[in-house]
Amino acid sequence: MDDAARDEQADGLAWLQPGHRAAPAEALRRIQVLCAAWPDLHAALFVVLATHQELPREVLAAAAKQFRPDLDPYSREDVVSLLTAIWNGGKSGFDAVLRTRANSPKKGNNLSWVKE
């Protein structure tokens, strides 16, 4: 790769560099693209969080809710909890928080003797 190609690639990834402050419209556009690119909710929230660490989780939660219909049953605070769980507990932490949310869609239970 020559110097010109390396510079062009670096410019394209400048938004990932530490300390980069994106304009809100630019960050929102990227979050929309990332949310659409990953069909799995955990993966989408993980990549949004990993690539936009400079933004408060409340902002990320509000943006993700705009572009992920599977987040409709959850409050913004619930989504902030999911982002925190991803950061601190990985996939197992995310799954644990997802199960505890009051508005989470309940999966069918084939155990008729178990009360929910």
Side-chain angles (χ1 to χ4, degrees), residues 37-75:
W38 274 267
D40 177 65
L41 179 60
H42 173 264
L45 292 178
F46 179 82
V47 74
V48 165
L49 181 60
T51 57
H52 293 83
Q53 294 180 39
E54 76 281 358
L55 293 176
R57 290 186 184 147
E58 293 79 12
V59 172
L60 293 177
K65 278 187 64 63
Q66 287 183 42
F67 306 119
R68 292 293 304 206
D70 48 354
L71 289 174
D72 287 347
Y74 303 100
S75 69

Side-chain angles (χ1 to χ4, degrees), residues 1-12:
M1 181 181 295
D2 64 359
D3 288 339
R6 206 172 292 114
D7 288 345
E8 183 178 325
Q9 183 180 14
D11 288 344

Side-chain angles (χ1 to χ4, degrees), residues 40-43 45-46 71 79 81-87 89-100:
D40 177 65
L41 179 60
H42 173 264
L45 292 178
F46 179 82
L71 289 174
V79 179
S81 295
L82 291 171
L83 291 168
T84 301
I86 289 169
W87 190 255
K91 178 77 167 122
S92 62
F94 170 82
D95 288 339
V97 170
L98 194 61
R99 283 190 303 269
T100 64

Side-chain angles (χ1 to χ4, degrees), residues 24-44:
E26 179 186 342
L28 197 59
R29 181 185 49 78
R30 281 196 309 266
I31 291 169
Q32 180 179 16
V33 169
L34 293 171
C35 283
W38 274 267
D40 177 65
L41 179 60
H42 173 264

